[in-house]
Amino acid sequence: MVRVIVIRHGYSVANKEAFFSGQMDVALDEVGYQQAEMVSKCVLENFTVDKVYASDLSRACNTVKPIADALGLEIIKRKDLREADVGKWHGLKIDDVVNHFPESFAKYKENPGESGFDGGETYAELQARMVAAINEIIAENEGKTVVIGSHGGTIRSWLCYWLGIPLRELGKVPHVPNTSITVADFENGHVKFERIGFCGHLDEMNSSADELR
């Protein structure tokens, strides 16, 4: 069996300023760094971690860094764990996208799972690379527990695959807040989810964090 602990990155500058960050290397903000410490404490108290992987974008790496540092582990960085390539939407706020790309944004709002981003990826492409990446990680780590730091859209596309939810029904996939924990046990081609989008470790800061989301 392989236990996979998938953590969405902490609250970032893009979350705070409400723009599409995609594959831009956007930093965590102060709240995000606090969340990273809190999720680290939760993981270290409840799991024995053997390896730490992350998207190569700094917001994902810095979220799992406290876990890796505490255990003396290297963060194994993988480009295929990145957020979606949002193409021409990179750096734009929603109002800007609505004004410049009204047709594609309307399709995105109606059916995000089966739409793509102007000049970027489709969710199907995003899902394919995320599933392939985690399958490779599973194959390399029989009998181990691994942490994977990634991104909201990427994690939800992966959940669609394993929960048997069509991408056109992406909205049915549970939300995964910043530094939420999703725990899945893989064995003989089967998966059992222990937690999806768990963020109980953030309870003490929920009142302030909610104001920033």
Side-chain angles (χ1 to χ4, degrees), residues 57-93:
L57 298 177
S58 64
R59 60 190 185 274
C61 288
N62 286 332
T63 297
V64 299
K65 186 174 186 296
I67 298 172
D69 286 352
L71 297 172
L73 296 174
E74 172 192 4
I75 298 174
I76 303 169
K77 300 177 184 179
R78 295 185 59 131
K79 186 175 180 179
D80 49 9
L81 296 172
R82 284 185 177 189
E83 182 59 283
D85 178 352
V86 298
K88 296 177 182 178
W89 296 16
H90 278 110
L92 298 182
K93 295 190 175 185

Side-chain angles (χ1 to χ4, degrees), residues 6 22-23 53-57 60-61 76-85 121-138 140 148-158:
V6 184
Q23 297 190 359
Y53 294 81
S55 152
D56 62 347
L57 298 177
C61 288
I76 303 169
K77 300 177 184 179
R78 295 185 59 131
K79 186 175 180 179
D80 49 9
L81 296 172
R82 284 185 177 189
E83 182 59 283
D85 178 352
E121 288 181 295
T122 64
Y123 263 90
E125 292 169 333
L126 171 63
Q127 182 186 72
R129 68 170 164 82
M130 181 61 166
V131 169
I134 295 189
N135 282 349
E136 284 185 13
I137 291 170
I138 291 167
E140 295 168 359
I148 298 175
S150 193
H151 305 263
T154 315
I155 295 168
R156 293 182 79 218
S157 71
W158 174 72

Side-chain angles (χ1 to χ4, degrees), residues 24-144:
M24 295 172 63
D25 199 6
V26 176
L28 297 177
D29 84 339
E30 182 180 349
V31 171
Y33 280 107
Q34 293 173 8
Q35 291 175 330
E37 293 294 337
M38 296 170 83
V39 75
S40 171
K41 181 180 178 183
C42 178
V43 169
L44 293 172
E45 287 178 351
N46 290 281
F47 303 97
T48 300
V49 175
D50 299 295
K51 284 188 183 179
V52 178
Y53 294 81
S55 152
D56 62 347
L57 298 177
S58 64
R59 60 190 185 274
C61 288
N62 286 332
T63 297
V64 299
K65 186 174 186 296
I67 298 172
D69 286 352
L71 297 172
L73 296 174
E74 172 192 4
I75 298 174
I76 303 169
K77 300 177 184 179
R78 295 185 59 131
K79 186 175 180 179
D80 49 9
L81 296 172
R82 284 185 177 189
E83 182 59 283
D85 178 352
V86 298
K88 296 177 182 178
W89 296 16
H90 278 110
L92 298 182
K93 295 190 175 185
I94 289 178
D95 287 348
D96 296 324
V97 176
V98 170
N99 290 332
H100 291 93
F101 307 100
E103 292 184 9
S104 56
F105 184 75
K107 292 178 182 177
Y108 172 80
K109 289 293 290 182
E110 179 181 352
N111 186 354
E114 290 190 344
S115 67
F117 302 95
D118 290 271
E121 288 181 295
T122 64
Y123 263 90
E125 292 169 333
L126 171 63
Q127 182 186 72
R129 68 170 164 82
M130 181 61 166
V131 169
I134 295 189
N135 282 349
E136 284 185 13
I137 291 170
I138 291 167
E140 295 168 359
N141 288 285
E142 180 58 39
K144 296 179 180 178

